[in-house]
């Protein structure tokens, strides 16, 4: 199999274990050559630090990809995470068109909301535009809150049953996404999981529910999923491997109260690599 090269587009939060500082090491560890396009540089992420710096790199994004285009550089997948503005969403669409190989995959993690709320700085208009980006995705990776915001579905505390999940998957698929991996599904108090909608069929993968959640796990999930998929695993295999990786990341972090801002994903990488590596 030809070695795969991907591009990931998201911000650099210098401290905080999210976005590019987790995406690059995780996909690289999975054996995938990963190019990066930083959309902004922040001193930290926005989820709990105060007074962070923010340097918007929107103005550089198309110049960078135009250079790649002129050099004939192409990617087997473009995978996006946190984006800082509606303009960036539009730039990403063009960059995907310009730099993907013919069968290249558009993988979109909306990375904009959780627990019923949009992250700091995002608006409903942004959520709708992100819905547009998910609409052109080969694979969209929303959590329940993001799926609700993108489809104008009131968030009422999360999924109650399979009928709820199927209805939400119908709506996200209705935006145009070819395949949807919906995260954060729970029908029982101690089980959490993901639902994968592909070619009209839904599969579920459940695992132990950890006692607390951490910032940045969505970013780690998307990176592990992309790494596993590009290594030749199926969408369902990649969705399950990424879910188990997150459980392990949380297990390695819980107990160290000073580590509130992200997960110690580095400690869980060896297990992920072993699971996804197909040689
Ligand atoms: O983890 C998503 C994320 C990425 N980048 C920045 C963020 C967040 C979530 O809050 O603030 C800058």
């Amino acid at each position: 199999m030809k070695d795969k090269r991907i591009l990931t587009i998201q911000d650099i939060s210098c401290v905080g274990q999210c976005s590019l500082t987790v995406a690059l090491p995780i996909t690289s560890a999975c054996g995938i050559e990963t190019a990066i396009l930083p959309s902004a540089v922040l001193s930290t992420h926005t989820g709990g630090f105060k007074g962070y710096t923010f340097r918007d790199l929107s103005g550089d994004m198309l110049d960078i990809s135009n250079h790649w285009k002129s050099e004939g550089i192409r990617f087997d997948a473009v995978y996006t995470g946190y984006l800082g503005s509606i303009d960036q969403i539009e730039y990403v669409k063009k960059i995907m068109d310009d730099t993907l190989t013919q069968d290249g995959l558009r993988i979109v993690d909306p990375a904009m909301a959780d627990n019923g709320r949009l992250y700091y700085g995002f608006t409903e208009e942004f959520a709708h535009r992100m819905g547009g980006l998910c609409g052109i995705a080969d694979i969209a990776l929303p959590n329940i809150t993001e799926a609700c915001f993108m489809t104008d579905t009131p968030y009422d505390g999360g999924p109650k049953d399979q009928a709820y999940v199927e209805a939400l998957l119908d709506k996200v698929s209705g935006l145009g996404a070819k395949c949807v991996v919906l995260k954060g599904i729970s029908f029982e108090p101690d089980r959490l999981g993901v639902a994968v909608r592909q070619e009209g069929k839904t599969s579920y993968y459940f695992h132990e529910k950890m006692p607390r959640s951490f910032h940045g796990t969505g970013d780690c999930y998307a990176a592990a999923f992309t790494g596993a998929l590009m290594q030749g695993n199926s969408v369902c295999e990649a969705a399950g491997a990424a879910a188990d990786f997150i459980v392990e990341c949380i297990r390695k972090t819980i107990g160290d109260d000073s580590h509130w801002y992200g997960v110690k994903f580095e400690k869980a990488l060896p297990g992920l690599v072993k699971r996804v590596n197909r040689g």
Side-chain angles (χ1 to χ4, degrees):
M1 190 180 74
K2 180 182 151 287
D3 287 335
K4 294 282 176 15
R5 174 167 64 191
I6 67 166
L7 167 67
T8 184
I9 309 175
Q10 43 195 308
D11 71 280
I12 297 178
S13 289
C14 299
V15 167
Q17 287 178 307
C18 68
S19 44
L20 274 180
T21 68
V22 306
L24 178 58
I26 292 172
T27 53
S28 298
C30 290
I32 307 301
E33 178 186 346
T34 305
I36 61 167
L37 206 174
S39 53
V41 179
L42 295 84
S43 52
T44 64
H45 62 62
T46 66
F49 296 100
K50 289 188 192 66
Y52 49 83
T53 68
F54 181 91
R55 170 83 55 200
D56 185 358
L57 298 180
S58 302
D60 292 324
M61 290 172 70
L62 291 179
D63 290 345
I64 291 171
S65 82
N66 284 336
H67 177 226
W68 291 336
K69 204 173 154 189
S70 72
E71 290 286 325
I73 295 168
R74 295 286 181 274
F75 303 104
D76 298 300
V78 173
Y79 131 57
T80 65
Y82 184 101
L83 297 172
S85 66
I86 286 171
D87 283 351
Q88 288 189 357
I89 293 175
E90 298 308 315
Y91 297 157
V92 159
K93 289 183 187 166
K94 176 157 173 43
I95 293 166
M96 287 171 159
D97 289 344
D98 285 350
T99 65
L100 276 168
T101 57
Q102 204 171 357
D103 302 323
L105 294 176
R106 292 167 171 80
I107 302 174
V108 177
D109 172 10
M112 62 179 177
D114 206 359
N115 298 314
R117 296 177 57 179
L118 289 167
Y119 294 151
Y120 180 78
F122 289 129
T123 60
E124 296 209 359
E125 165 69 1
F126 180 91
H128 288 142
R129 296 293 196 101
M130 186 55 88
L133 184 59
C134 284
I136 60 156
D138 293 288
I139 303 164
L141 303 166
N143 60 35
I144 298 278
T145 302
E146 290 159 346
C148 286
F149 271 107
M150 292 191 300
T151 61
D152 288 322
T153 307
Y155 177 86
D156 56 2
K160 318 260 171 304
D161 52 29
Q162 215 159 312
Y164 176 104
V165 172
E166 292 293 338
L168 197 51
L169 283 169
D170 284 345
K171 289 191 194 177
V172 181
S173 303
L175 296 173
K178 291 200 188 77
C179 173
V180 182
V181 178
L182 185 62
K183 302 172 294 180
I185 290 161
S186 186
F187 303 139
E188 297 169 64
D190 56 351
R191 308 289 288 164
L192 188 69
V194 295
V196 178
R197 170 69 67 84
Q198 205 178 12
E199 287 161 10
K201 291 206 191 76
T202 309
S203 328
Y204 290 84
Y205 184 83
F206 286 101
H207 55 82
E208 178 187 351
K209 186 175 189 169
M210 299 305 279
R212 58 169 287 204
S213 58
F214 282 89
H215 194 276
T217 48
D219 300 355
C220 292
Y221 184 93
F225 171 85
T226 302
L229 185 78
M230 299 313 287
Q231 217 18 293
N233 295 276
S234 71
V235 171
C236 286
E237 284 165 347
D244 288 339
F245 174 60
I246 298 308
V247 170
E248 203 48 32
C249 289
I250 294 176
R251 205 171 268 140
K252 300 285 189 204
T253 311
I254 268 177
D256 179 354
D257 290 340
S258 67
H259 204 101
W260 57 269
Y261 48 82
V263 284
K264 300 185 183 185
F265 73 93
E266 303 87 349
K267 307 276 187 279
L269 273 179
L272 175 70
V273 170
K274 207 164 153 203
R275 169 116 168 229
V276 307
N277 205 332
R278 297 164 66 93

